[in-house]
Amino acid sequence: QGLVEESGGGLVQAGGSLRLSCAASESISSITAMRWYRQTPGNQRELVAGITSGGSTNYADSVKGRFTISRDIAKNTVYLQMNSLKPEDTAVYYCNIDVLYRATGVIRNYWGRGTQVTVSS
């Protein structure tokens, strides 16, 4: 098991909903930011949504009003609620976190392995 694990992907019809979850290891105590990216074959990963430790959020224009990112700090988990899904949302979705190591002040970035989301028309 890696430090970051995504779940919740699958196949859904256009207009449907999915909820992705990303759980970071309990050994990680200082997560400063958590993000969701997505990637389609032949393309770079694009930022879908992000949330800071203070709760500030940001979204790609293409998902505003349809996707909602949230986090459960106690569980080291971030969620991505995806509504009104479109075929162009089809991609592998990756979780990405920033971890602050307080002893050194260093921030390290970690990726999950991704979860496939397929939206049929």
Side-chain angles (χ1 to χ4, degrees):
Q1 186 175 358
L3 288 176
V4 182
E5 295 279 347
E6 303 97 337
S7 62
L11 173 65
V12 65
Q13 288 188 332
S17 298
L18 281 176
R19 188 194 196 205
L20 304 183
S21 298
C22 169
S25 170
E26 294 180 352
S27 66
I28 298 175
S29 61
S30 297
I31 299 175
T32 56
M34 305 181 86
R35 308 173 190 89
W36 287 98
Y37 284 76
R38 66 187 181 187
Q39 187 173 26
T40 54
N43 294 307
Q44 292 185 334
R45 289 183 190 181
E46 63 168 349
L47 178 64
V48 176
I51 186 167
T52 68
S53 56
S56 297
T57 60
N58 63 288
Y59 298 91
D61 288 342
S62 58
V63 307
K64 283 181 181 177
R66 300 187 298 121
F67 291 10
T68 302
I69 189 170
S70 61
R71 66 185 288 180
D72 185 331
I73 295 175
K75 294 182 178 180
N76 272 1
T77 300
V78 63
Y79 306 97
L80 186 67
Q81 178 66 44
M82 305 185 294
N83 299 327
S84 301
L85 282 162
K86 304 175 181 180
E88 50 264 44
D89 294 317
T90 296
V92 178
Y93 284 71
Y94 295 90
C95 182
N96 176 265
I97 67 171
D98 287 339
V99 177
L100 170 64
Y101 291 88
R102 296 184 185 279
T104 60
V106 172
I107 295 177
R108 291 191 174 178
N109 188 260
Y110 297 94
W111 289 92
R113 295 182 179 181
T115 184
Q116 176 71 46
V117 171
T118 303
V119 184
S120 63
S121 58

